[in-house]
Amino acid sequence: MSFLQVQKKIKSGNFSPIYLLYGTEVFLIEEIIHSIINKVLTEDEYDFNLSTYELKETPISLAIEEALTIPFMGSYRVVIVKDPQFLTGKDQTKVEHDLKAFESYILNPVPETIFVVVAPYEKLDERKKIVKLLKKEAEVVAALPFNEQEMDKWLENRVKKYEVAISASAKELLTQLLGNRLVMIAGEIEKLSLFVGRGGTIDETTVQQMVSKTVEQDVFSLVDHVVHRRKQEALQVFYELIKQKEEPIKILSLLARQFRILYQVKELSKRGYSQQNIAGTLKIHPYVVKLANQQGKLFSEKQLLKFIDELAETDYKIKTGKIEKQLALELFIIQAVSVV
């Protein structure tokens, strides 16, 4: 089940006795845990009815004993177990876990206990009996990077918490600037919401004014100017990076990475890969794929490969002292925007 679907169920008070939260988006996992805790426990109940166990240090049998205990002065007990490496093919812990007891609990969980298994791994070992059982009996949430539609919905839900609205262009720019860094996006949304005030709207201008840019984002803008043949704007971004004392070799490396992404997206699209499949293959955000797809259309594969080769040659010349590094990048930018 998706993150958004599970959040909706929790909000309506529809709980499962066991949750399996796995995936690399730790922020989403923490969001679900907080939603469960805030919905079923008061702050006064935390000391009595909330327990967390690190399974790399503690046997799961202790967590099961806790789960079997009736809640104290409350309706629910929440038991959270973290880092269950026995669900993967690489269990490096030295703690012995009674998986038979865990299997028994999964088949007969206590209704008054919400048992949350937190597995922050990209994959689980599907061959293992315990994994198969959990996936069959538990509410399973794959905390994976959002696709474009999921990100859009998540942003809408996020701003509603602050009673503000957000424009479509602001959502796109925010995603372009921060990618899939959900922790950073959540922090920026809070800041932007406070800035526009209750009932206000976060628009593209607000995002441009308030959201701090990283070197990677500036390089993305530089590439965007290059592919649209905007020489003056491209050089302006480059000079600003130099003014900020960014190392030209780092800029060159990021430029090469961006052009490789353009080429890879173009090549995979030609092979019939979907936007989501490309994102998964290249391990980049789906929105980055969308933008790269748009930018890549302005060059042929041959031209993109030529840029990648020229950047590699420029890197070699700089490191062997054959050309001054700032001049080398200036020449590359000027030549790149001149390509027909």
Side-chain angles (χ1 to χ4, degrees), residues 7-279:
Q7 283 287 65
K8 187 175 181 180
K9 287 180 69 175
I10 292 169
K11 189 176 180 180
S12 67
N14 185 1
F15 307 110
S16 295
I18 304 177
Y19 288 87
L20 170 59
L21 313 179
Y22 81 95
T24 54
E25 289 290 348
V26 178
F27 178 81
L28 297 182
I29 290 174
E30 292 298 328
E31 284 274 286
I32 292 173
I33 292 171
H34 290 154
S35 295
I36 292 170
I37 292 172
N38 293 335
K39 192 70 178 178
V40 304
L41 301 178
T42 64
E43 286 190 30
D44 293 337
E45 294 178 282
Y46 286 5
D47 290 338
F48 308 109
N49 294 326
L50 175 61
S51 304
T52 301
Y53 295 88
E54 293 285 348
L55 298 185
K56 61 184 177 183
E57 301 169 353
T58 309
I60 196 166
S61 55
L62 292 181
I64 295 169
E65 286 178 20
E66 186 78 22
L68 293 169
T69 306
I70 297 171
F72 182 75
M73 297 179 65
S75 302
Y76 284 98
R77 177 178 296 282
V78 178
V79 176
I80 303 165
V81 295
K82 294 185 174 183
D83 204 8
Q85 292 186 22
F86 53 77
L87 298 180
T88 72
K90 298 179 180 179
D91 188 354
Q92 298 177 338
T93 59
K94 296 180 181 179
V95 179
E96 290 190 18
H97 294 290
D98 188 349
L99 297 187
K100 290 291 183 184
F102 189 29
E103 290 169 8
S104 297
Y105 183 83
I106 293 170
L107 291 170
N108 190 27
V110 175
E112 293 82 12
T113 295
I114 297 177
F115 197 97
V116 184
V117 182
V118 179
Y121 321 120
E122 187 174 358
K123 293 180 181 179
L124 303 180
D125 191 339
E126 303 285 346
R127 300 166 298 178
K128 292 189 173 184
K129 180 182 177 183
I130 189 67
V131 173
K132 291 176 182 177
L133 187 61
L134 267 174
K135 286 205 164 186
K136 180 182 177 184
E137 302 293 336
E139 184 83 85
V140 182
V141 185
L144 302 172
F146 287 144
N147 60 33
E148 190 177 348
Q149 292 73 29
E150 289 169 334
M151 177 62 85
D152 189 81
K153 186 66 177 176
W154 181 76
L155 286 169
E156 287 287 349
N157 292 341
R158 200 81 195 174
V159 298
K160 281 180 183 177
K161 290 176 58 177
Y162 303 101
E163 299 181 44
V164 301
I166 184 168
S167 70
S169 59
K171 284 188 285 188
E172 286 203 353
L173 181 57
L174 199 56
T175 309
Q176 176 186 327
L177 292 174
L178 301 177
N180 60 350
R181 301 168 188 167
L182 298 180
V183 177
M184 292 179 65
I185 293 176
E188 291 295 340
I189 285 177
E190 182 177 7
K191 181 176 74 176
L192 292 165
S193 299
L194 291 171
F195 178 76
V196 300
R198 185 178 298 175
T201 298
I202 300 168
D203 58 19
E204 186 176 354
T205 303
T206 311
V207 174
Q208 288 172 337
Q209 291 174 343
M210 300 292 292
V211 177
S212 302
K213 292 183 179 180
T214 65
V215 183
E216 290 84 355
Q217 291 150 11
D218 282 329
V219 168
F220 183 91
S221 297
L222 197 161
V223 171
D224 193 57
H225 291 315
V226 167
V227 299
H228 287 96
R229 277 68 168 184
R230 297 189 289 256
K231 181 173 73 173
Q232 186 175 345
E233 290 87 344
L235 287 171
Q236 185 176 345
V237 172
F238 174 64
Y239 294 144
E240 187 61 34
L241 285 167
I242 296 299
K243 188 178 177 181
Q244 294 168 14
K245 301 192 183 303
E246 293 297 342
E247 176 56 47
I249 292 293
K250 181 180 179 182
I251 298 171
L252 187 149
S253 174
L254 292 171
L255 274 172
R257 177 181 181 273
Q258 190 60 36
F259 276 110
R260 279 196 299 272
I261 288 174
L262 295 188
Y263 175 76
Q264 290 167 331
V265 169
K266 191 176 187 72
E267 185 63 27
L268 291 173
S269 295
K270 194 168 71 173
R271 295 183 193 177
Y273 281 59
S274 68
Q275 181 175 305
Q276 194 66 26
N277 287 337
I278 294 172

Side-chain angles (χ1 to χ4, degrees), residues 281-307:
T281 301
L282 301 182
K283 299 191 184 305
I284 57 178
H285 194 273
Y287 188 70
V288 175
V289 174
K290 177 183 176 182
L291 294 175
N293 203 20
Q294 293 170 353
Q295 292 178 335
K297 289 177 181 177
L298 299 172
F299 292 111
S300 66
E301 289 98 327
K302 185 178 179 180
Q303 287 171 328
L304 290 172
L305 282 174
K306 188 171 184 290
F307 288 148

